[in-house]
Amino acid sequence: MNRCYRFILSFMMAIALNFVTFSAEATPIASDFLELGVDKMQRGNYQQAIQDLSEAIQLESNFVAAYSDRCLAYLQLQDYHSAIADCTKAINLAPKNAEAYLHRGLAHYRQGNYLDAIADDKQAIALKPDDFRAYYNRGIATAMLGNQVQAIGDYNKALSIIPQNLQSLQADIYNDRGLARLELADLQAAMLDFDKAIRLNANDDRAYFNRACACTRTGDISGAVRDFSEVIRLNPSNAQAYVNRGVARHWLGYHQAAIADLEKAAQRFGKREKVAYQKTLDLLKSVQQQIPSEAEIALL
């Protein structure tokens, strides 16, 4: 295992900011169910929220906001087929509903339908060109198709219009732009983006993980160990961080520390992640066979 794992792209932002408000035309009772549903969603009770929003729709069959918000609840429960159906219904009832396009794009993205996601993000941008989320989401989907240059353009646009008080979301965009630049082997620019992400959100283990990968690419193995250690401090269950720190320590000659990391990684993968577990055991065996006869003087 001679490379760093690439961390999963950060979560899309379409559901992060607000819910759709109900229309004045809805009957009071339907509106009451909508408010109950939104309140339960904000509390994380998504299944119960769906029940209330379904009641609202039962009472008001053309209730756009109820369809749009129920889509969000389905997204949280990973029921993407139902989410797409609800957003499509909302779009048919209100073709200028940018939120519905944004949410449907997210559902398509999570199903791996990147072209459909991009198409919906484009519609959201056309309807609401000052919404950073649509550019960011399109950038992530575009990056998944391998077009990193175009993705960077969308990240740049998102960064130019995102409210400055949303620092954690800015950090996500810098993180993903850094990943795109890493893919393009623009290591210096990628490192700057990861640095910026960490300054904006020092508790985001993903940025440390990605910066560690950039350090490895530049030959700064000690820097990689430092950042993987920070990942482990922030997220002790991250087995990949243990694997990569173990590899880096092995490269530096700290073999016992490397073995300890690989053993912890295997424990965290467990037999539930059989492929990763077995690869880690194979790597552990390889490192053990390469230990020099002389004792180590120090550990990182």
Side-chain angles (χ1 to χ4, degrees), residues 6-300:
R6 181 166 182 248
F7 200 78
I8 297 172
L9 293 170
S10 67
F11 296 109
M12 307 272 279
M13 291 297 105
I15 64 173
L17 297 183
N18 55 9
F19 300 103
V20 179
T21 56
F22 58 84
S23 62
E25 291 78 15
T27 64
I29 295 177
S31 298
D32 290 343
F33 276 111
L34 177 69
E35 291 183 359
L36 287 172
V38 169
D39 180 68
K40 288 174 181 175
M41 286 178 67
Q42 292 172 335
R43 297 172 184 271
N45 299 324
Y46 302 113
Q47 196 62 60
Q48 294 177 18
I50 287 171
Q51 294 175 8
D52 286 332
L53 295 168
S54 297
E55 289 287 349
I57 291 169
Q58 193 88 14
L59 293 166
E60 188 73 33
S61 61
N62 293 335
F63 200 171
V64 175
Y67 284 108
S68 189
D69 286 340
R70 192 172 68 175
C71 167
L72 290 178
Y74 282 129
L75 279 170
Q76 292 287 2
L77 295 175
Q78 301 181 20
D79 184 351
Y80 303 128
H81 178 78
S82 296
I84 289 170
D86 272 356
C87 285
T88 300
K89 180 67 174 180
I91 289 167
N92 290 339
L93 292 170
K96 294 185 178 181
N97 186 339
E99 291 289 324
Y101 280 108
L102 197 63
H103 300 157
R104 191 173 70 177
L106 175 56
H108 282 309
Y109 174 88
R110 289 183 174 171
Q111 286 188 316
N113 300 324
Y114 304 125
L115 289 175
D116 290 335
I118 290 169
D120 278 341
D121 293 331
K122 285 181 178 178
Q123 287 293 332
I125 289 168
L127 292 167
K128 199 174 180 182
D130 60 345
D131 191 334
F132 79 92
R133 297 173 298 162
Y135 293 100
Y136 181 33
N137 289 357
R138 187 174 69 176
I140 293 177
T142 300
M144 293 301 292
L145 291 175
N147 192 338
Q148 307 302 332
V149 173
Q150 187 174 333
I152 288 171
D154 277 336
Y155 298 146
N156 290 342
K157 181 64 176 179
L159 287 169
S160 73
I161 59 178
I162 186 173
Q164 293 305 300
N165 62 317
L166 300 177
Q167 290 191 349
S168 63
L169 300 186
Q170 289 181 57
D172 283 337
I173 302 173
Y174 278 110
N175 199 16
D176 284 311
R177 192 176 71 176
L179 283 173
R181 287 173 162 170
L182 196 61
E183 288 287 334
L184 294 172
D186 189 352
L187 301 181
Q188 183 176 6
M191 191 73 76
L192 290 173
D193 276 344
F194 298 141
D195 288 345
K196 182 69 171 179
I198 289 168
R199 285 197 297 272
L200 288 166
N201 183 5
N203 294 319
D204 187 353
D205 61 290
R206 295 168 300 136
Y208 288 104
F209 192 107
N210 291 332
R211 191 172 70 176
C213 291
C215 285
T216 302
R217 296 266 192 100
T218 63
D220 181 9
I221 308 305
S222 294
V225 170
R226 175 203 64 214
D227 279 344
F228 284 130
S229 296
E230 193 65 19
V231 174
I232 291 166
R233 184 185 71 81
L234 293 167
N235 184 8
S237 65
N238 191 324
Q240 291 182 345
Y242 278 105
V243 170
N244 287 317
R245 189 176 71 173
V247 170
R249 284 175 159 174
H250 176 57
W251 287 342
L252 291 172
Y254 298 106
H255 306 296
Q256 294 299 334
I259 289 171
D261 275 343
L262 294 173
E263 288 175 342
K264 289 177 182 176
Q267 292 171 4
R268 281 158 177 75
F269 281 130
K271 295 186 179 179
R272 289 177 297 180
E273 298 182 57
K274 292 183 179 179
V275 174
Y277 174 74
Q278 188 58 53
K279 285 185 176 181
T280 303
L281 291 181
D282 292 342
L283 180 58
L284 175 60
K285 182 178 179 180
S286 176
V287 169
Q288 289 171 330
Q289 291 173 344
Q290 296 176 42
I291 296 177
S293 57
E294 65 272 12
E296 287 184 293
I297 297 175
L299 299 178
L300 284 184

